[in-house]
Amino acid sequence: MALARAIKQEAQAIGFDAVGIARVDTAPALPSMLAARLTGWLQRGFHATMAWMERTPEKRADPRLVLPGCRSIIVVGMNYFTGHRADERPGHGRIARYAWGKDYHEVLESRLKALETRITALAPNAATKSYVDTGPIMEKAWAQQAGLGWIGKHSNLVSAEHGSWLLLGEILTTLDLDADEPATDLCGSCTLCLQACPTQAIAEPYIVDANRCISYLTIELRGAAAVPDELRRRMGNHIFGCDDCLDVCPFNLRAEPTHEPAFQPSPATLAPDLDALAQLDDAAFRRTFQESPIKRAKLAGLQQNLSIAKNNQ
């Protein structure tokens, strides 16, 4: 218990807003349940063109196949809610909140590495491996197991303290740490997120069909694959990601703004001018979004999103 407490104190000192610990070996049925859930989702084709998600689903479900001897997972979260409201006057687009500031991968990765270093100082013989949304880890399920929140009906994590606005990272470790109490699902009978989705991408509670999800359509869909006309009309002014299902969650009424400067919006992300962005060439695109998650869409992807948003307006 003393070691787990010390690690949590280090995580908070580094700047994480939430930290919890899940045990892998005390939940032996969980990996097989997660594998079955993931396999069923893949079989329904809900991963769309993201073929990489088909690779080794059993590894994604079992951290012991990622880090041999893994006993515990330290899950951390950072609040990215800034309290600002997007400027949605005519001629402006909408960008998901997590992409208003700097790339969260870089923000969390550097702090996770610092936390790994401190864990090594506390327990020199421990093996660790950290990820921020890039490794074969079903992080939301382990975040729920670690007590950070529960997976809501929109399939995102909901925190009783931070609402829908936590970015997650995790450290797998061979350390035998005391676990936190898993979070309880508090969604109840609420279906606001299902009703709010413009494209009806939430096929059923807790299950999202990426083929219809605006986040997928504006970020992951690439190349010659065209957005169906029916979905284009429903995308409104979204040009990178979508927060519609998150915005309506009642637990966001409790959310306090973040103190992290890296997540603060720029004029280009809070009030993106559709015409101005449409004029960007490749060099200007890279310069404007070099520290932003928006670079993932690439210029061609952003231009397609801008065209759809302008037509819708």
Side-chain angles (χ1 to χ4, degrees), residues 213-271:
C213 179
I214 291 175
S215 287
Y216 166 77
L217 296 173
T218 57
I219 302 172
E220 301 295 339
L221 188 59
R222 304 286 175 86
V227 179
D229 289 340
E230 177 241 342
L231 296 180
R232 284 174 175 257
R233 292 189 294 271
R234 296 185 180 207
M235 288 169 63
N237 68 337
H238 293 286
I239 61 172
F240 187 91
C242 180
D243 287 329
D244 287 12
C245 65
L246 304 181
D247 282 332
V248 298
C249 180
F251 284 91
N252 290 334
L253 295 173
R254 311 178 186 186
E256 294 290 333
T258 182
H259 298 292
E260 175 54 52
F263 297 144
Q264 296 301 318
S266 68
T269 56
L270 188 62

Side-chain angles (χ1 to χ4, degrees), residues 59 62-71 127-129 172-174:
K59 183 177 181 179
D62 193 342
R64 293 167 296 189
L65 300 179
V66 179
L67 177 67
C70 179
R71 291 189 179 91
T128 61
K129 186 181 288 287
L172 281 59
T173 179
T174 53

Side-chain angles (χ1 to χ4, degrees), residues 23 27-28 30 55 57 69-70 75 98 157 225 234 238-239 265 269 311:
R23 284 291 296 269
L30 185 57
R55 296 196 291 267
C70 179
V75 186
Y98 79 84
L157 195 78
R234 296 185 180 207
H238 293 286
I239 61 172
T269 56
N311 285 336

Side-chain angles (χ1 to χ4, degrees), residues 1-8 19-26 69-75 115 119 122-123 126-128 145-146 171-181:
M1 184 173 292
L3 181 56
R5 187 184 304 115
I7 291 173
K8 290 179 180 178
V19 57
I21 296 172
R23 284 291 296 269
V24 177
D25 53 355
T26 57
C70 179
R71 291 189 179 91
S72 307
I73 302 180
I74 304 156
V75 186
L115 183 55
I119 291 172
L122 292 168
T128 61
Q145 196 71 14
I171 296 177
L172 281 59
T173 179
T174 53
L175 285 171
D176 189 0
L177 299 173
D178 292 285
D180 289 285
E181 190 72 22

Side-chain angles (χ1 to χ4, degrees), residues 5-280:
R5 187 184 304 115
I7 291 173
K8 290 179 180 178
Q9 290 173 345
E10 295 288 356
Q12 291 166 346
I14 287 171
F16 291 113
D17 298 303
V19 57
I21 296 172
R23 284 291 296 269
V24 177
D25 53 355
T26 57
L30 185 57
S32 59
M33 183 188 73
L34 293 178
R37 185 187 304 170
L38 175 58
T39 300
W41 184 76
L42 292 169
Q43 289 174 343
R44 295 173 76 174
F46 285 170
H47 59 307
T49 63
M50 297 181 289
W52 52 271
M53 299 192 76
E54 300 174 11
R55 296 196 291 267
T56 59
E58 67 283 353
K59 183 177 181 179
R60 294 183 177 279
D62 193 342
R64 293 167 296 189
L65 300 179
V66 179
L67 177 67
C70 179
R71 291 189 179 91
S72 307
I73 302 180
I74 304 156
V75 186
V76 297
M78 287 191 73
N79 173 24
Y80 68 97
F81 178 68
T82 66
H84 292 84
R85 294 180 65 87
D87 184 342
E88 296 193 80
R89 291 173 299 170
H92 291 81
R94 181 73 184 271
I95 292 171
R97 287 181 183 271
Y98 79 84
W100 283 2
K102 294 184 178 179
D103 192 332
Y104 69 91
H105 296 92
E106 297 174 10
V107 177
L108 269 72
E109 278 174 4
S110 62
R111 299 187 187 197
L112 277 175
K113 293 301 181 186
L115 183 55
E116 281 189 276
T117 299
R118 298 190 187 185
I119 291 172
T120 300
L122 292 168
N125 295 325
T128 61
K129 186 181 288 287
S130 64
Y131 291 108
V132 180
D133 194 29
T134 54
I137 302 295
M138 298 178 72
E139 61 179 9
K140 289 178 286 189
W142 291 106
Q144 179 166 347
Q145 196 71 14
L148 267 68
W150 66 95
I151 298 175
K153 292 178 182 177
H154 48 30
S155 85
N156 292 283
L157 195 78
V158 183
S159 162
E161 181 179 358
H162 301 288
S164 305
W165 315 117
L166 277 182
L167 296 165
L168 300 175
E170 54 280 336
I171 296 177
L172 281 59
T173 179
T174 53
L175 285 171
D176 189 0
L177 299 173
D178 292 285
D180 289 285
E181 190 72 22
T184 301
D185 185 340
L186 300 179
C187 285
S189 60
C190 179
T191 58
L192 287 175
C193 58
L194 280 76
Q195 298 171 45
C197 180
T199 57
Q200 298 178 317
I202 307 176
E204 59 193 71
Y206 310 101
I207 303 292
V208 172
D209 179 359
N211 294 283
R212 303 185 65 85
C213 179
I214 291 175
S215 287
Y216 166 77
L217 296 173
T218 57
I219 302 172
E220 301 295 339
L221 188 59
R222 304 286 175 86
V227 179
D229 289 340
E230 177 241 342
L231 296 180
R232 284 174 175 257
R233 292 189 294 271
R234 296 185 180 207
M235 288 169 63
N237 68 337
H238 293 286
I239 61 172
F240 187 91
C242 180
D243 287 329
D244 287 12
C245 65
L246 304 181
D247 282 332
V248 298
C249 180
F251 284 91
N252 290 334
L253 295 173
R254 311 178 186 186
E256 294 290 333
T258 182
H259 298 292
E260 175 54 52
F263 297 144
Q264 296 301 318
S266 68
T269 56
L270 188 62
D273 186 293
L274 298 178
D275 289 331
L277 290 177
Q279 300 303 314
L280 294 179

